[in-house]
Amino acid sequence: MIIQYISNLTIPLLLFYVLGYGLFCKVDIFDAFVDGVRVVTGVLPTLIGLMIAIGILRASGILEGIASVAAPWTEKVFLPAALLPLSLIKMISSSAATGLLLDIYKE
């Protein structure tokens, strides 16, 4: 019960803390927010595209195919074959690799 209460207050308290700190340091909060939105809008399409591409590769079975073909070699170096696609994706995008790892954990 207490943890749920703290959890419900975390985001509003963090928001008020950031706003209060910005006011205390005499930072133009709106301009800082607009600059942050510009950064996010520049990165977001790339991130969404990478996540969709990884989802397509995963749904098509290509990643599992690569893992099964490379399994004899990966077992020799004590690397589980299921982690080979993860290591390949990690070279392209850390965020996509994190999403793939979460999918692996769900299985």
Side-chain angles (χ1 to χ4, degrees):
M1 185 70 173
I2 294 174
I3 292 179
Q4 185 178 9
Y5 181 72
I6 292 171
S7 177
N8 290 338
L9 286 177
T10 301
I11 293 178
L13 288 176
L14 183 65
L15 181 68
F16 285 125
Y17 173 75
V18 169
L19 290 174
Y21 186 76
L23 290 172
F24 179 73
C25 292
K26 296 184 174 118
V27 174
D28 189 2
I29 298 169
F30 183 74
D31 284 341
F33 175 75
V34 170
D35 290 341
V37 169
R38 284 188 191 128
V39 170
V40 169
T41 56
V43 174
L44 197 59
T46 304
L47 186 61
I48 291 171
L50 284 170
M51 292 296 205
I52 290 172
I54 298 304
I56 290 170
L57 287 174
R58 184 127 198 250
S60 69
I62 291 175
L63 294 178
E64 287 80 14
I66 292 171
S68 64
V69 168
W73 295 289
T74 59
E75 297 299 327
K76 289 181 183 178
V77 294
F78 305 106
L79 176 71
L83 293 182
L84 181 65
L86 179 67
S87 61
L88 294 173
I89 299 301
K90 177 73 173 170
M91 290 187 276
I92 298 170
S93 168
S94 294
S95 300
T98 302
L100 183 59
L101 182 63
L102 291 174
D103 286 343
I104 290 172
Y105 283 156
K106 287 179 185 176
E107 294 175 359

